[in-house]
Amino acid sequence: MRRTPAALAGAEPGPAHTIEFDGREIPALPGQTIAAALWAEGILAWRTTRVGGCPRGAFCGIGVCFDCLATVNGRPNQRTCLLPAQPGDTVATQEGHGRADLAV
Amino acid sequence: MPTSPSEPYDLAVIGAGPAGLAAAVTAAELGLRCALLDAGARPGGQYYRHPAPGLGAAHPERLHHGWSVFAALSDRLAASGVDHLAGHHVWTAEQGEVWRLHATLGPEAADRAVVRARSVLLATGAYERQLPFPGWTLPGVVTAGGAQAMLKAGLVLPGRRIVVAGSGPLLLAAASSLVTAGAAVPAVVEATDYLGYARGARTLATNPAKLLEGANHGAALLRHGVRLRRSSAVVEAHGTDRVTGVTVARLDRDWRPVPGTERRIDCDALAVGHGLLPQIELATELGAETRVTPDGTVALKVDPGQRTSLPGLWAAGETCGVGGADLAVVEGELAARVIAGAPVPAALRRRRERRRAFAELMAAAHRPGPGWTDWLRPDTDVCRCEEVPAARIREAVDELGAGDARTVKLLTRAGMGWCQGRMCGPAVACLAGDPNPRADSRPLACPVPLSQLADPT
């Protein structure tokens, strides 16, 4: 059997809950950050850059680099590597600066 | 605990990693009223990051090196009466007879705190130094410490086949964690040749624990058949939407890629880092004196009692120069004893001196060579936030006369984005030909909602 981080740590997590990512339901284990829940699903990108429209996801994993920003429950520019996933959270890929709704 | 909100703490410790934990519990045990402020939800900092309780990890120690040290510090914290203020991001420190630390707790105006204390100890640790290369912005390219942090806290991996690259002892630790957790690590790519350590035979001999630590990581890698490539670097990451492979090249002594030595390694993730940068902006903003470490980073200057140049401000651990968890614990304890006016055992001082000497040797051995800039292409983004390519920075230097990172920033916006230069700073300074690393100055140490700034408490 393939070794996994959970098996290594002897983890018996509480039941997974569900968050929504770009309209798709994905599971999150209790205590996982949004970024961790996305990685667990093999999702590595959830932002596109302002200038080049390039995909980005978690880079530093500790809240320093701001590459993992997403729109969470309608609020843009949230550092998903710091934010615990709460049941029912809606996470949307953030495009550009995340404030398109303010454009005039 | 203070009996009223108007009564300041004797000591506020910022950062609940090895240094801050050791300092807080020691100070409390010596009778000081102590607050421990930390941005994280749980104590431990980056080094002792561990799974959230909901993940039900029965064996967190298997994700760690030296877990028993943390377990002991946690027990002492629980018994100490220290006010552990979790989720507190300190964005500025106001200096005075009584210090005022301003923390933001969240996005709302009401989510904030001001903590007052007679003394402050800065134990904010470090983050990773990055040197850009073509493809380093691709999803799946992550920092070595980030891969470890996400593994330790969230029990997740960025991929199944992860190349680990860069320079410094963290690479071996990260690679050994990743293989132990089930990832395949086709190679660890280290830019130096390790010969730098040979110059410090005496320092090595007085630090057997550090040698053992290295040997343990090495043994884990051997057991999993991980290949260590020395004097080599990832000079390009390939892929369109995510990384699918990397090109590794041999480096000469100055870290210049040797033409014709390139070879490709397939992978679905790359964990990369080039040492650590002390996180000291709360102190440098107030004008604290700094020193340049042998690997070219800027750290706080402290005296033998861990005092910074600012009255009432102490520092311990990586903020004084990166040296690892063991040194951090020693310095935290030493600082607390000095603050409390308690005697400092000679053995504690000796231990710090030995570990400091090792840290300086390690830093010198992994100092980036100037030739790394040869692996940049004109279109390689150096500043990730503002998407500023190397060509624009070189233009600012060669044609517009910029000679330091600050001028480059004003001309190109490199370092002006979300991370405020934390990711690109060292690379930009190097490209600007700035020979003297300088302390970053940032009025706000972390993002804080305008509503909190607008309504001072």
Side-chain angles (χ1 to χ4, degrees):
Chain A
M1 209 182 87
R2 232 183 114 244
R3 275 169 302 123
T4 65
L8 173 68
E12 289 181 15
H17 60 86
T18 304
I19 63 173
E20 190 186 300
F21 171 66
D22 286 349
R24 166 184 163 193
E25 300 221 313
I26 65 165
L29 295 174
Q32 274 182 334
T33 60
I34 290 171
L38 292 169
W39 272 23
E41 285 296 287
I43 301 165
L44 291 176
W46 50 85
R47 177 167 90 80
T48 58
T49 60
R50 285 174 291 185
V51 180
C54 303
R56 296 278 175 87
F59 181 61
C60 80
I62 63 169
V64 178
C65 78
F66 294 75
D67 251 326
C68 70
L69 299 177
T71 300
V72 180
N73 301 327
R75 198 190 280 270
N77 296 321
Q78 300 303 300
R79 282 177 283 177
T80 55
C81 76
L82 298 184
L83 210 56
Q86 305 292 346
D89 274 349
T90 310
V91 181
T93 289
Q94 173 168 320
E95 290 176 11
H97 48 50
R99 306 266 182 198
D101 56 318
L102 299 179
V104 285
Chain B
M1 252 185 257
T3 49
S4 78
S6 61
E7 197 181 337
Y9 286 97
D10 294 323
L11 172 66
V13 176
I14 309 175
L21 273 176
V25 298
T26 304
E29 285 160 5
L30 291 168
L32 298 192
R33 289 194 327 268
C34 185
L36 176 60
L37 293 82
D38 189 65
R42 297 178 297 286
Q46 299 308 336
Y47 189 81
Y48 290 122
R49 240 179 196 250
H50 52 281
L55 286 164
H59 296 290
E61 77 281 0
R62 292 186 194 155
L63 299 162
H64 282 89
H65 181 80
W67 180 255
S68 60
V69 175
F70 174 67
L73 288 170
S74 289
D75 291 346
R76 285 168 68 191
L77 179 67
S80 67
V82 168
D83 276 351
H84 176 212
L85 306 174
H88 282 55
H89 301 250
V90 178
W91 54 268
T92 197
E94 269 184 88
Q95 191 184 1
E97 192 67 24
V98 172
W99 289 74
R100 288 161 57 88
L101 305 177
H102 295 263
T104 176
L105 284 61
E108 307 300 340
D111 301 341
R112 57 174 163 176
V114 177
V115 173
R116 299 162 69 245
R118 292 192 182 89
S119 307
V120 172
L121 186 139
L122 197 67
T124 40
Y127 54 90
E128 252 174 309
R129 170 163 59 188
Q130 296 297 331
L131 298 178
F133 51 89
W136 77 304
T137 53
L138 279 171
V141 179
V142 302
T143 69
Q148 247 195 335
M150 296 276 282
L151 168 60
K152 287 174 178 176
L155 304 179
V156 290
L157 297 168
R160 294 184 164 212
R161 196 173 150 81
I162 309 169
V163 171
V164 178
S167 191
L170 178 61
L171 297 188
L172 297 181
S176 122
S177 305
L178 295 172
V179 285
T180 310
V185 175
V188 175
V189 186
E190 162 64 56
T192 67
D193 53 15
Y194 286 109
L195 293 178
Y197 286 96
R199 284 192 285 272
R202 203 182 128 84
T203 303
L204 292 177
T206 54
N207 285 279
K210 299 306 283 184
L211 288 182
L212 185 65
E213 192 179 323
N216 283 339
H217 292 316
L221 297 181
L222 269 181
R223 223 171 23 249
H224 291 93
V226 175
R227 168 137 192 230
L228 174 65
R229 288 171 188 268
R230 292 178 300 158
S231 304
S232 301
V234 166
V235 294
E236 182 169 8
H238 308 280
T240 46
D241 294 333
R242 57 174 297 168
V243 63
T244 53
V246 296
T247 293
V248 173
R250 277 192 67 79
L251 301 181
D252 69 13
R253 283 186 53 187
D254 290 331
W255 290 31
R256 233 167 244 108
V258 178
T261 61
E262 300 86 359
R263 60 178 67 201
R264 184 162 165 146
I265 301 175
D266 290 336
C267 60
D268 59 4
L270 168 67
V272 65
H274 297 86
L276 300 175
L277 296 167
Q279 182 157 333
I280 57 175
E281 59 261 82
L282 286 168
T284 53
E285 186 56 29
L286 296 171
E289 281 181 36
T290 56
R291 72 182 179 104
V292 177
T293 64
D295 61 345
T297 73
V298 179
L300 291 177
K301 198 184 223 173
V302 289
D303 75 0
Q306 302 296 134
R307 290 177 196 85
T308 70
S309 64
L310 302 177
L313 182 68
W314 275 257
E318 313 294 49
T319 53
C320 311
V322 170
D326 189 50
L327 175 61
V329 167
V330 170
E331 289 189 344
E333 182 179 339
L334 201 155
R337 287 182 165 277
V338 174
I339 295 165
V344 176
L348 196 64
R349 287 194 192 281
R350 276 200 304 274
R351 187 160 182 180
R352 182 190 52 179
E353 274 148 34
R354 283 202 304 269
R355 290 289 191 268
R356 246 320 141 203
F358 185 83
E360 302 285 296
L361 174 68
M362 187 174 76
H366 293 282
R367 185 188 178 96
W372 70 267
T373 54
D374 278 19
W375 68 55
L376 295 173
R377 297 217 185 107
D379 65 349
T380 305
D381 275 338
V382 173
C383 169
R384 299 172 68 90
C385 302
E386 293 292 322
E387 294 166 272
V388 184
R392 288 243 306 280
I393 292 171
R394 287 190 161 128
E395 179 191 50
V397 174
D398 297 339
E399 290 170 34
L400 305 174
D404 58 63
R406 183 178 160 74
T407 312
V408 171
K409 172 170 152 177
L410 295 173
L411 291 168
T412 68
R413 294 194 60 84
M416 227 179 249
W418 273 307
C419 86
Q420 287 290 288
R422 287 177 177 90
M423 291 298 116
C424 67
V428 171
C430 188
L431 287 167
D434 200 348
N436 305 308
R438 254 171 288 198
D440 288 315
S441 176
R442 301 183 183 95
L444 309 178
C446 69
V448 53
L450 277 174
S451 55
Q452 294 186 23
L453 285 180
D455 179 20
T457 53

